[in-house]
Each structure stands twice: as C-alpha cells, then as structure tokens.
Amino acid sequence: MSVLPFRAGAAAVLDANAVALRRLASLVPLSAEEAKGVLALPLACRASPVGSELCAAGAIAPWPRVLVQGWACRMRMLPDGRRQMFDLVLPGDLIGSLLPPYRPAAAASVALTPVETANAAPLAALLAGPGEALPAALAALDRQSERLLLDQITRLGRQTAYERTAHLLIEIKCRLAAVGLACGNAFPLPLRQDTIADLLGLSVVHVNRTLQQMRRDRVLELRGGVAVLLQPGRLQAEAGFDTPQPGPSYGAA
Amino acid sequence: MSVLPFRAGAAAVLDANAVALRRLASLVPLSAEEAKGVLALPLACRASPVGSELCAAGAIAPWPRVLVQGWACRMRMLPDGRRQMFDLVLPGDLIGSLLPPYRPAAAASVALTPVETANAAPLAALLAGPGEALPAALAALDRQSERLLLDQITRLGRQTAYERTAHLLIEIKCRLAAVGLACGNAFPLPLRQDTIADLLGLSVVHVNRTLQQMRRDRVLELRGGVAVLLQPGRLQAEAGFDTPQPGPSYGAA
DNA sequence: CGTCTTATTGACCATCCTCAAGCGACGTGG
DNA sequence: CCACGTCGCTTGAGGATGGTCAATAAGACG
C-alpha cells in the first residue's frame, strides 16, 4: 500500500478507441455490437503541448473532440489576473458537445499536460446506428459533467481547504478509475500545486500546507506526480463525498 | 433615483405565456409567427407554497415546467446540515430540460417564495413547427444556464464577499430585466439574508455586514424586498462583471 | 555545475466565521 | 389593547481559516 505502483512518466497508454469505449461503458453497459462499433471508429489523433488552448472561450469548435491522453481543464481569467478553473477534462471526456447544436464554449479549455485529442465526429455518426445504449451513455456523460460542476460549487462554497482537497482527490480517483487509469487507490496526478489552488479557490501556499497535513495524517502519499489515497474511507467521510441528498423545506421572505 | 419605484407585494404580474415569450425573445429575436404561437399555447399553471420542493434531486420530472411567478433555487444539503445553493430560478426559467432525454435532476429545486409553475410540454410541441428562432432560443437558454453556473464558481472561488454580492446583484438585475421584471436599476429581491448567504458561500452575519457596507458606499438601496443599484457602473467594475476572457497559456507538470 | 521551476516553510495579517445579545416588525391570545 | 413570542435584521467581540510576502530547499535539465 505504500509502494508507489506507478513510475512517473510510465502511465498506461490507451489508444483513442479504447479510451472512448471505456468511458462510455463506464456509464451504461454497451452491447457487444456497440462496443465493436466504437472500437472500429477511425479516430484521428492530434497532439497539443502544455498550455495550449484546445478551445477558446466563446469559440464554436468545428467538430467535437475527445481527450485521449493527458489532462486539460476549463478555466476563466478575471480582469485582474485571478484565475479560476471550473473542471478537469480527463481522458475520455469530451471537449464541446458531441451533437448539434454546437454552442460556443462557455469557457476556455486549456491543456495542463501535453495532450492528445481525437476528432469525435465519427462517434456522433455511430449514434444513428442500432442499439440504444450509446445515446444513453452520451446523455449520462452530459449529466455527469453537470454534477461535477455542482460538486465544484459545493466545494468552493461550503467546504474547508482540507475537505475541498480530499473531495477533489477522491473525484479524480473515481474518474480515472472509470477509464482504467487508476490502480486501486493510486493514480497519476500531473498537476502543479498552483493548478490545484486555482481549482480549489485557494492560494498555492495553503494548498501546500493542506497536502502536508494530509501526509502527516497518513491519508495521502504524493510524490513524482503519483498520488495514493491511504485511507480512502476516512478521506471520503471527511470530504462529505456522497450522492446529493434531497433538499428539505427551505423558504424566503 | 432614490425613490423606490416598487411597492413591496405589488410586483408586476405576467401570465405564463407572456413570461415564456419574453424569456425566449430576450435570447433570440422571434418572428411574429413564432411569438403568436407562444402566446397561444395552453399553459396550465399550478401554485406551490414557499419551501416546497418543485423537483427532488435525482427525480425525473414527468414533464418540463416553466417558472411563471416567484423565485426558486437549485440547492444541495451537505451531510452535516451546511447548505449550498447553485443557482436561482427566476420567472421564465425552466425546471428540468424541455426536450428528451429527461435526465434525473442533478439538484433539488426549491421554492424561495410562493411560486407558480406551468407545464411546458406544449412549448416543446411548438419546436417542431416552422421557424428556427425557437430552437435557437432553447439552445441559448441551456447555454446561459451553464454560464451562470460558471459565474457562480468564479464568485465562490476567486471573489471577496463584496465582489460576490455585487456580482450577484447585477446578475439578478440583468436576468429580471430580460423578462421585464426590473424597472431601470430597481428590482424586487425577495430573498432573506441567510438565503443570500447560502448562495454566496458566506455566513448570514457577513452578508449583513457586506450589504451595510454597500449602503454606506451609496451603491445599493435595499428595503422591503426591493433593491436599487445606485451606481451600476461602479458596482459592475468592482464585481468584475463582464464576459469571460479567452484564457492565456497555462501549464502543469 | 549553473539555472530555472516548483515545493516548502516562517511570520504576519486580512477576511470571514461563530457566538451572543439586542432590536424592530408583526401576529396572536389573554 | 397590550404582553408576548417569533422571525429576520443588526451589531459587537473574539477567534479561526486562509492569504501575502519573502526566503529557502529541492529537483529537473541542459
């Protein structure tokens, strides 16, 4: 449990079809037919360096793309230089909606590591084919991305630094596990501390101190771009990580 | 400018068709044909009291609804009783998506005042008719609601209490103005301070102090459920309220 | 080895929270 | 008609969380 099962830079490598398939199948079970269809798609990959803008805010992408490798995020700059990240884009996630109407992007998508993206248009074509699991998976994808935004709001609005950090780490673990990029409780975490700060609405210094505290608490091991959650249950409890509760009565005057 | 142009409880009353039409037309100009279609829809209204849950988290609404009168919000409770509100639902806004797939609600929708909602299914039927402005308006509605979530994240993550409050007030003014419920810089604000606190991720006490500060700064008048922005330009500048900027290079290792 | 970037730490300070009490408006029952 | 309770707003005092500034360590890389 304390041996890091990844070597930095030696992360698993999946091709575009495998990533897309895993992502979709993690939401809705696909028929063998549909799975084969996804694996047969001609997905053309393109590499982009760290820091490149995969999609500008307000831009309408010519076609939808899937992130195949590397990490990205959606973010916004404030006029005075403050930065806020809205969510992470992990392998298997879409950049832009798969189907028309193609809406202008509400935020810029930026590569946090070197990334590879594939044109997802062939996947859209597959939706017209037989089987209903694929459309359902697409709908679930949309739904999950909204849920992640709401989770982010909850973190920023009502959680302490420690809780926010724990919640984010668990979220990342779960999302990576869904596409087979986590190994038990260990997973790659190629983020700088200042990036985590911009995600969590904290300062770099405080992120650093929070991570130190987690190490002292023996709930987290973090070295060389690889994170290991040592006591996932405890961390999950502290993060209040669970499904949203139905809201009780709540009024105003 | 300092005379309150509303009397509390005497807010403008619009019927369901007028609200729906104004909301849609505020996003995309509708043809006379389409406008007439919207006004002719048979929209059945239903009243719900303060605090009632218009839509439970995880529930799939049997049909889509439009908020016709009153205010609501989407919110979540944390296991320990902390509360976070995600966004406001104002007259003309949808509760649930208009078109299939009907996804389970990502958060509970709760009435903040007595509300009236109308079954929006007839509106969906209208989409199949002639004219293309209506579908475009619906897409814009979706897009705007995502933008509001991102604005909320930015407020919570990177703005001070004063900035958050200013930003929220301006957002509300703009949204109400779009459906004709604001009068210049004056608009109804039927929210308790603890509700504003749960929206902005602050404590009630601090919301109170922030509002006091705004009054002292002569940028806000707030009495009897009516708000007046006295220096909208100044407030807007302080809130950093503007369209998202394209994000510059941003990396990680 | 020198340089650049990223992580870490200390010291000090600001923002915001919590607790607690007081106030004013309103509605209710004696 | 007035005492009383309730609800929402307001204010003070003290404290905790997290921010800023600045210096140092630790890697990564040519």
Side-chain angles (χ1 to χ4, degrees):
Chain A
M1 203 170 196
S2 62
V3 175
L4 295 176
F6 288 102
R7 236 148 315 144
V13 173
L14 298 173
D15 71 23
N17 301 75
V19 168
L21 178 58
R22 288 195 187 189
R23 185 77 179 91
L24 293 169
S26 75
L27 295 164
V28 170
L30 301 185
S31 68
E33 189 74 26
E34 289 173 307
K36 218 154 61 175
V38 172
L39 288 177
L41 291 172
L43 296 177
C45 275
R46 196 182 63 190
S48 310
V50 172
S52 57
E53 201 171 60
L54 304 176
C55 176
I60 302 186
W63 3 263
R65 303 194 71 79
V66 196
L67 185 65
V68 172
Q69 211 175 101
W71 289 29
C73 72
R74 295 198 303 156
M75 52 155 278
R76 181 190 291 174
M77 299 291 300
L78 274 70
D80 63 355
R82 282 176 290 186
R83 222 187 320 241
Q84 179 62 48
M85 298 185 12
F86 302 119
D87 47 18
L88 289 171
V89 185
L90 301 183
D93 290 335
L94 292 173
I95 299 170
S97 60
L98 191 55
L99 293 174
Y102 296 129
R103 319 178 306 183
S109 290
V110 177
L112 296 173
T113 70
V115 300
E116 274 181 37
T117 57
N119 183 340
L123 184 56
L126 206 61
L127 284 178
E132 54 202 8
L134 223 41
L138 256 298
L141 209 60
D142 252 27
R143 199 177 134 236
Q144 194 194 30
S145 75
E146 184 185 13
R147 205 181 71 80
L148 291 176
L149 284 184
L150 301 190
D151 285 348
Q152 170 77 336
I153 291 176
T154 306
R155 277 195 293 248
L156 296 177
R158 285 296 179 219
Q159 296 199 289
T160 65
Y162 198 97
E163 291 168 337
R164 288 181 214 187
T165 309
H167 196 284
L168 178 67
L169 288 171
I170 297 171
E171 177 194 304
I172 291 173
K173 189 198 88 173
C174 293
R175 291 174 63 187
L176 288 178
V179 285
L181 292 174
C183 170
N185 288 307
F187 54 92
L189 189 76
L191 300 179
R192 283 190 273 134
Q193 294 187 353
D194 68 320
T195 305
I196 298 176
D198 286 333
L199 263 168
L200 296 181
L202 299 168
S203 67
V204 203
V205 173
H206 203 66
V207 165
N208 185 288
R209 294 197 160 112
T210 305
L211 293 174
Q212 298 296 347
Q213 186 59 49
M214 288 183 158
R215 288 192 258 241
R216 276 194 297 276
D217 293 346
R218 307 226 167 278
V219 293
L220 174 68
E221 200 169 314
L222 177 54
R223 244 171 44 215
V226 172
V228 186
L229 307 187
L230 300 178
Q231 304 177 54
R234 181 173 156 201
L235 211 54
Q236 196 156 329
E238 297 204 68
F241 192 95
D242 51 20
T243 52
Q245 307 296 317
S249 148
Y250 192 71
Chain B
M1 201 170 198
S2 61
V3 175
L4 295 177
F6 289 102
R7 234 147 319 142
V13 173
L14 297 173
D15 71 24
N17 300 77
V19 169
L21 177 58
R22 288 194 187 191
R23 185 76 179 94
L24 293 169
S26 75
L27 295 164
V28 170
L30 301 186
S31 69
E33 188 75 27
E34 288 173 308
K36 219 155 60 177
V38 172
L39 287 177
L41 290 171
L43 295 177
C45 275
R46 196 182 63 189
S48 309
V50 171
S52 57
E53 199 171 61
L54 304 176
C55 176
I60 302 186
W63 1 264
R65 304 195 71 79
V66 196
L67 185 66
V68 172
Q69 212 176 100
W71 290 28
C73 72
R74 294 198 303 155
M75 53 156 273
R76 181 189 293 175
M77 300 289 300
L78 274 69
D80 62 355
R82 283 176 289 186
R83 220 183 329 237
Q84 179 62 48
M85 297 186 14
F86 301 120
D87 47 18
L88 289 170
V89 185
L90 301 183
D93 289 336
L94 291 174
I95 299 170
S97 60
L98 190 55
L99 294 174
Y102 296 129
R103 318 178 306 184
S109 291
V110 177
L112 295 172
T113 71
V115 299
E116 273 181 36
T117 57
N119 183 341
L123 184 56
L126 207 61
L127 283 179
E132 54 204 8
L134 224 42
L138 255 299
L141 209 58
D142 251 25
R143 200 177 134 236
Q144 193 193 28
S145 74
E146 184 184 13
R147 206 182 71 81
L148 290 176
L149 284 184
L150 301 190
D151 285 350
Q152 171 77 335
I153 290 176
T154 307
R155 278 196 294 249
L156 297 176
R158 285 299 179 216
Q159 297 199 288
T160 65
Y162 198 96
E163 292 168 335
R164 288 180 214 187
T165 310
H167 197 283
L168 178 67
L169 288 171
I170 297 171
E171 177 193 305
I172 291 173
K173 189 198 87 171
C174 293
R175 291 175 63 186
L176 288 177
V179 285
L181 292 174
C183 170
N185 288 307
F187 53 93
L189 189 75
L191 299 179
R192 283 191 273 136
Q193 294 187 353
D194 67 321
T195 305
I196 298 177
D198 286 333
L199 263 168
L200 296 181
L202 299 168
S203 67
V204 204
V205 173
H206 203 65
V207 166
N208 184 288
R209 294 196 160 112
T210 306
L211 293 174
Q212 299 295 348
Q213 187 58 48
M214 289 185 159
R215 288 192 259 243
R216 275 194 297 275
D217 293 346
R218 305 227 167 278
V219 293
L220 175 67
E221 201 169 311
L222 178 55
R223 245 172 42 215
V226 173
V228 187
L229 307 187
L230 300 177
Q231 303 175 56
R234 182 173 155 200
L235 211 54
Q236 198 156 329
E238 297 203 69
F241 191 96
D242 51 20
T243 52
Q245 309 295 316
S249 150
Y250 193 72

